[in-house]
Amino acid sequence: MLRILMVLLLCVSVGVALSLAAPVWPLRPGLMGFAMLLASAWAVRRYWEGLQPEGRPGSPERALWHGLATYGLLFGHLSATVWQLGPVLAMHSLAGHALAIDSWTLVFGALVSYWIARDPEPRRDERDVLIRNHGLLAGHIVLIGLLLALILALGFAGRTVVGQFNQPMLAHVLILIVLAQCLIQNLAQLRLYWLDARAEQGGQ
């Protein structure tokens, strides 16, 4: 479980660093993140291929590890960038256009890196379906909770920073909420795979 949390923390931190240290990067943050996603996907695939067949994660678990990393990177980058540009986000500005370009570059990197890291021999079983359902439930609870918090903030905190949000800012806050839901869903599922692996080791 510690490894799962460390991967999440690392990827979110890298996303934040891409945003906050944008002026010192030799390339645009989106391109830097794109290269990191592809390099890490290739390294992880090589690592998985080096494991014994019985020790390799199945197709759904591989997808979850990839999702945890990419969603974490996207969440860290977008949250840090929105924090710097808020509470009024001017989309038709140099900063707004840079945010859009970097974000879509990272999304494209996530898609390409998934193609690299994917399982060449997809495998699923009933355990995967059960774990997926638990993850969906956890993600749904988090999504509803965050949306309720945002609704209450918009309705009763008009004089706070939330009340100053314009439409583009609210749209990006909603994107962050969706990313948070995806992260919690992946965390919940990976935790169940971890518990299942511990149970198998204990039974041997």
Side-chain angles (χ1 to χ4, degrees):
M1 188 63 190
L2 180 60
R3 180 175 61 173
I4 299 172
L5 295 176
M6 288 179 62
V7 169
L8 174 61
L9 179 61
L10 174 63
C11 293
V12 173
S13 299
V14 170
V16 171
L18 285 174
S19 175
L20 297 182
V24 303
W25 293 117
L27 300 172
R28 285 294 313 165
L31 292 175
M32 293 289 295
F34 182 91
M36 291 178 185
L37 287 170
L38 267 59
S40 60
W42 178 82
V44 167
R45 177 165 180 164
R46 291 291 302 271
Y47 170 74
W48 282 333
E49 289 177 347
L51 297 175
Q52 295 297 325
E54 62 274 10
R56 295 174 187 170
S59 306
E61 191 175 356
R62 286 194 185 201
L64 289 171
W65 279 110
H66 176 268
L68 186 73
T70 53
Y71 290 139
L73 182 69
L74 288 166
F75 183 87
H77 174 264
L78 184 59
S79 60
T81 304
V82 166
W83 178 75
Q84 293 179 86
L85 299 179
V88 176
L89 178 58
M91 288 300 299
H92 299 293
S93 64
L94 291 178
H97 286 301
L99 168 61
I101 292 172
D102 288 335
S103 296
W104 283 110
T105 303
L106 291 175
V107 170
F108 183 62
L111 295 174
V112 176
S113 62
Y114 175 78
W115 181 82
I116 295 173
R118 77 192 193 288
D119 190 353
E121 300 177 359
R123 298 156 290 165
R124 293 180 183 273
D125 55 39
E126 293 180 357
R127 180 194 63 164
D128 298 319
V129 175
L130 180 62
I131 290 177
R132 178 176 177 271
N133 290 339
H134 281 289
L136 287 172
L137 176 61
H140 180 73
I141 291 173
V142 169
L143 177 63
I144 295 301
L146 290 176
L147 287 177
L148 285 175
L150 179 60
I151 290 169
L152 291 173
L154 291 173
F156 299 99
R159 296 185 180 181
T160 67
V161 66
V162 176
Q164 301 173 27
F165 287 175
N166 61 352
Q167 287 184 344
M169 177 59 71
L170 284 173
H172 284 80
V173 169
L174 289 173
I175 294 173
L176 287 172
I177 288 176
V178 172
L179 287 174
Q181 176 210 5
C182 294
L183 283 173
I184 294 301
Q185 181 176 325
N186 281 26
L187 273 174
Q189 291 179 250
L190 285 171
R191 176 180 174 274
L192 291 175
Y193 278 111
W194 172 72
L195 289 174
D196 188 66
R198 285 189 63 187
E200 288 184 359
Q201 292 174 0
Q204 293 178 353

